[in-house]
Amino acid sequence: MKKQIKTILFAITATLLVSCGSSSEKAKTTNELTGSIKIDGSSTVYPITEAVAEEFRTVQPKVNVTIGVSGTGGGFKKFGRGEIDISDASRPIKDKEILICNENNITYVGLSVAYDGLAVLVNPKNTWVDYFTVEELNTIWNPSAQNTIMYWDQVREGWPHEKLNLYGPGTASGTYDYFSEAICGKKVGTRADYTASEDDHILVQGIATDKTGLGFFGLAYYEENKDKLKLVGVDNGSGAITPTMGTVSNGTYEPLSRPIFIYVNSTSVKRPEVVEFVNFYLKNAATLSAEVGYIPMPISEYEVQQAKFNNFIKK
Amino acid sequence: MNNSQINRLKDKTFNYFGIFCTLIGLVILAFFIGSIFYDGLRRIDWDFLTSLPSRKAEKAGILTAWVGSIWIVIFTFIIVVPLGISAGIYLEEYAKKSRLSSLIEVNISNLAGVPSIIYGLLSLEIFVRLFGMGNSILAGSCTLALLVLPIVIVATREALKAVPHSIRAASYALGASKWQTVWEQVLPASFGGILTGVILAISRAVGETAPLIVIGALLYVPFTPSSPMDEFTVLPIQIFNWISRPQHEFTTNAAAAIILLLLITFIMNGVAVYFRNKWQKKINW
């Protein structure tokens, strides 16, 4: 028994030693900051923050930026306890969460960093749909439509009597919350008789193979699957608008586009590496957000956010 | 047809049915592994293993994820093995049949069925906050150790039960104490079965995601952990994130990471099976 235990222990120690030795040497630059920055929150914002952290490493290699993905709500919970420096959020902070921050004497600033758009899609073989009005989308998705609105001709006269097959993200996702609130109103939800999947690739596949299908998901997924799907514009009273870089960025594609945010703790900005990181974030968010599939805000808007942040530091 | 022919027919039918049931699992597994290898194998190279996460799929690597996974597995092993085996020995060899011990037994079997996310929530309060471990490897390992503890305890008990009573009786007859009997005779004889339980437990631990996300395991960590108190990420979290990205190249990365995760599991199992076989050869009553 003893000998066996020794062998096992030896194997363990050896593995640990090997894994310790792999941290690489880092290059030296002048005016080098050190320290660590803790970020957590929405997985929607994660790709942008990851891209910024990745680029930041080339500028300040000694600052350790770590990012978690416990969701917008989970992120704010930690933020409210002062456990993290920056919170990634796909919606503004809620009153409940503000209350917790106040209780723990945490002051903060919220900065919008990019836009996230939702796309409404049909099969490319669908010849009749030219655009949807918000009311029509509401007719289709409202909880009261369940088991009643089952055919396309019930949505608009003149559309064929074909079965209406719906696809969308599951109720647990932020994308679902956002769509149901924008189209059906607050706390209403949507009908439940649609094909739901947390994996957007499955939704893409579903709509692409279903001639009478209709669905929604993040714009970035459409961009990656342009050839398989037909993008449909949405009319919110001022004509049909198709989501593009331009229409989302200037706010005309409504109501299916939203800003996404980072929230910064005021105690954290006393540390120079955090200030440097946020400045770097705002400076590069435009290019980096586009690179990972989101829509950048206009340059002027980034300047507004930068000014907001500068004021916040002074306080 | 007479009775014996009918019985023979039944026998044959069940035989084919059994083969069919076995094959379903195997064929599906083979299909999955095949498609994963087809998607991911070409992506695995030295750079992939030694690079940090990146927004560019072709530059992204999984260094911190696989190193984190190995740290977690080792510490889970260190925590769960002594705890689980000791508890198993106590329940099987020492505990008297009382109401307390039957209560413990029922609870252990119940624990095995608790959803893993519940363990995450429990650990968030106890290990992360109350004990002040933070979002560290140690907190993660403690969580997973709790999660797989019932598996180890149950396996240990089954293995101890399988040791013939005559061995114990012989040991006592020669004047050995209870401890000497357990340590020198029963435990070595049941080592193979215990190890099988440990293999199952660790394989389960290496694939867990939900409880680790709850206790605050990260996704982007630009450094490999150097102590059990460091923050960490693990392979399943990275895989999940890559699969949910819109860009198709990330799916390839995910497939490659899955291959690595399978490899880690296989290697660990291989080591355990090796020790088990070596051990079993030694037993000659």
Side-chain angles (χ1 to χ4, degrees):
Chain A
M1 190 88 191
K2 264 186 197 158
K3 200 181 163 195
Q4 231 66 31
I5 290 175
K6 261 186 202 160
T7 332
I8 294 172
L9 279 181
F10 175 74
I12 291 169
T13 339
T15 327
L16 281 186
L17 285 176
V18 168
S19 66
C20 288
S22 48
S23 57
S24 56
E25 288 286 314
K26 282 161 185 167
K28 279 185 181 169
T29 55
T30 48
N31 192 15
E32 205 171 53
L33 294 167
T34 54
S36 62
I37 303 173
K38 289 187 179 185
I39 307 174
D40 207 328
S42 167
S43 56
T44 309
V45 190
Y46 173 79
I48 305 180
T49 307
E50 181 200 46
V52 174
E54 187 191 351
E55 285 307 309
F56 191 65
R57 206 166 59 219
T58 59
V59 190
Q60 296 288 356
K62 290 231 165 135
V63 179
N64 280 328
V65 183
T66 57
I67 314 166
V69 280
S70 37
T72 302
F76 275 132
K77 241 177 224 156
K78 290 183 181 167
F79 191 71
R81 301 173 72 114
E83 291 174 351
I84 53 174
D85 302 308
I86 296 170
S87 184
D88 285 342
S90 61
R91 55 160 171 80
I93 190 166
K94 285 181 184 163
D95 293 343
K96 220 170 35 184
E97 292 155 348
I98 296 176
L99 219 63
I100 295 169
C101 286
N102 291 344
E103 269 171 32
N104 297 326
N105 286 325
I106 285 166
T107 48
Y108 56 84
V109 64
L111 306 165
S112 46
V113 290
Y115 287 110
D116 180 21
L118 282 190
V120 178
L121 304 135
V122 294
N123 190 281
K125 286 194 195 122
N126 181 322
T127 47
W128 56 91
V129 174
D130 38 6
Y131 66 93
F132 286 110
T133 65
V134 176
E135 293 84 69
E136 281 165 349
L137 284 175
N138 187 19
T139 311
I140 297 170
W141 285 96
N142 201 283
S144 61
Q146 186 151 343
N147 297 325
T148 12
I149 308 292
M150 305 301 280
Y151 295 95
W152 282 90
D153 55 351
Q154 290 172 290
V155 181
R156 191 191 293 176
E157 265 179 56
W159 281 354
H161 187 71
E162 298 257 20
K163 208 147 180 349
L164 179 60
N165 300 324
L166 298 173
Y167 299 86
T171 49
S173 79
T175 316
Y176 171 85
D177 284 345
Y178 161 41
F179 181 85
S180 70
E181 203 175 310
I183 297 297
C184 307
K186 274 190 181 178
K187 290 184 184 157
V188 187
T190 66
R191 66 195 292 175
D193 53 343
Y194 68 95
T195 308
S197 173
E198 303 300 340
D199 182 355
D200 293 334
H201 295 296
I202 290 176
L203 301 177
V204 170
Q205 219 53 48
I207 304 168
T209 53
D210 183 346
K211 195 189 160 199
T212 63
L214 161 73
F216 68 90
F217 44 73
L219 196 51
Y221 279 87
Y222 167 71
E223 297 288 331
E224 292 294 320
N225 298 285
K226 274 183 180 163
D227 45 332
K228 296 182 210 158
L229 304 162
K230 180 176 158 189
L231 186 62
V232 185
V234 176
D235 181 358
N236 192 24
S238 46
I241 309 278
T242 337
T244 60
M245 199 77 112
T247 56
V248 172
S249 169
N250 64 21
T252 47
Y253 179 65
E254 269 199 320
L256 292 178
S257 69
R258 59 172 172 180
I260 51 182
F261 308 88
I262 54 170
Y263 282 76
V264 190
N265 184 322
S266 63
T267 338
S268 305
V269 295
K270 295 201 176 92
R271 307 203 316 262
E273 68 270 17
V274 177
V275 176
E276 186 72 21
F277 180 77
V278 176
N279 285 335
F280 187 83
Y281 204 126
L282 292 172
K283 210 188 292 167
N284 295 286
T287 25
L288 292 177
S289 59
E291 218 176 288
V292 293
Y294 290 82
I295 292 145
M297 308 187 296
I299 298 300
S300 59
E301 190 54 36
Y302 285 108
E303 284 162 6
V304 172
Q305 300 299 322
Q306 182 69 56
K308 196 172 161 191
F309 183 61
N310 291 343
N311 276 334
F312 177 70
I313 305 171
K314 273 183 212 145
K315 276 192 276 176
Chain B
M1 256 197 290
N2 61 22
N3 239 351
S4 91
Q5 275 175 319
I6 291 177
N7 279 342
R8 213 168 290 156
L9 187 72
K10 275 185 188 165
D11 194 33
K12 229 176 204 167
T13 318
F14 185 77
N15 185 10
Y16 286 122
F17 180 70
I19 293 176
F20 173 72
C21 291
T22 318
L23 280 184
I24 286 185
L26 283 181
V27 166
I28 293 178
L29 187 70
F31 175 75
F32 277 136
I33 292 184
S35 84
I36 287 291
F37 272 80
Y38 176 77
D39 283 341
L41 206 55
R42 61 201 145 89
R43 183 66 185 82
I44 294 183
D45 52 24
W46 187 244
D47 278 344
F48 186 65
L49 296 178
T50 56
S51 297
L52 296 172
S54 164
R55 67 180 183 283
K56 298 192 186 86
E58 64 280 5
K59 261 177 66 187
I62 49 168
L63 175 68
T64 48
W66 72 260
V67 175
S69 269
I70 287 179
W71 273 85
I72 282 283
V73 160
I74 288 170
F75 275 87
T76 308
F77 182 87
I78 292 175
I79 297 166
V80 82
V81 165
L83 277 183
I85 296 182
S86 308
I89 292 175
Y90 170 77
L91 287 172
E92 200 55 40
E93 303 285 332
Y94 288 86
K96 300 207 170 60
K97 289 272 172 278
S98 68
R99 202 171 285 171
L100 180 73
S101 66
S102 57
L103 188 75
I104 294 178
E105 270 174 44
V106 169
N107 270 312
I108 287 174
S109 358
N110 277 344
L111 275 181
V114 172
S116 59
I117 194 144
I118 307 289
Y119 284 96
L121 292 168
L122 177 83
S123 305
L124 178 66
E125 277 311 317
I126 295 181
F127 298 128
V128 176
R129 295 192 172 139
L130 196 66
F131 292 177
M133 289 180 189
N135 317 324
S136 62
I137 290 176
L138 193 61
S141 303
C142 287
T143 311
L144 293 181
L146 270 190
L147 180 75
V148 300
L149 193 57
I151 306 178
V152 178
I153 294 178
V154 171
T156 305
R157 295 190 58 184
E158 292 305 318
L160 293 176
K161 260 184 212 159
V163 177
H165 189 71
S166 56
I167 299 292
R168 292 185 183 87
S171 178
Y172 290 137
L174 290 170
S177 68
K178 186 150 206 168
W179 168 247
Q180 284 170 325
T181 307
V182 169
W183 184 251
E184 302 285 344
Q185 304 300 331
V186 180
L187 207 51
S190 57
F191 188 72
I194 295 177
L195 212 52
T196 310
V198 172
I199 296 170
L200 282 176
I202 296 296
S203 310
R204 161 118 197 248
V206 76
E208 276 296 338
T209 325
L212 292 180
I213 288 189
V214 173
I215 65 149
L218 300 163
L219 180 49
Y220 178 86
V221 189
F223 52 89
T224 51
S226 52
S227 88
M229 294 316 288
D230 279 346
E231 292 167 306
F232 68 101
T233 182
V234 290
L235 277 170
I237 299 183
Q238 185 67 68
I239 290 169
F240 181 70
N241 178 264
W242 275 340
I243 285 177
S244 61
R245 293 285 189 97
Q247 293 84 3
H248 290 299
E249 300 79 37
F250 279 113
T251 321
T252 313
N253 282 4
I258 290 171
I259 296 176
L260 200 71
L261 186 61
L262 283 175
L263 202 69
I264 290 180
T265 319
F266 285 157
I267 289 175
M268 280 181 340
N269 288 0
V271 169
V273 168
Y274 171 76
F275 275 114
R276 187 176 68 192
N277 291 345
K278 215 176 147 190
W279 200 265
Q280 261 159 357
K281 269 181 216 147
K282 278 194 185 170
I283 300 169
N284 39 6
W285 288 320

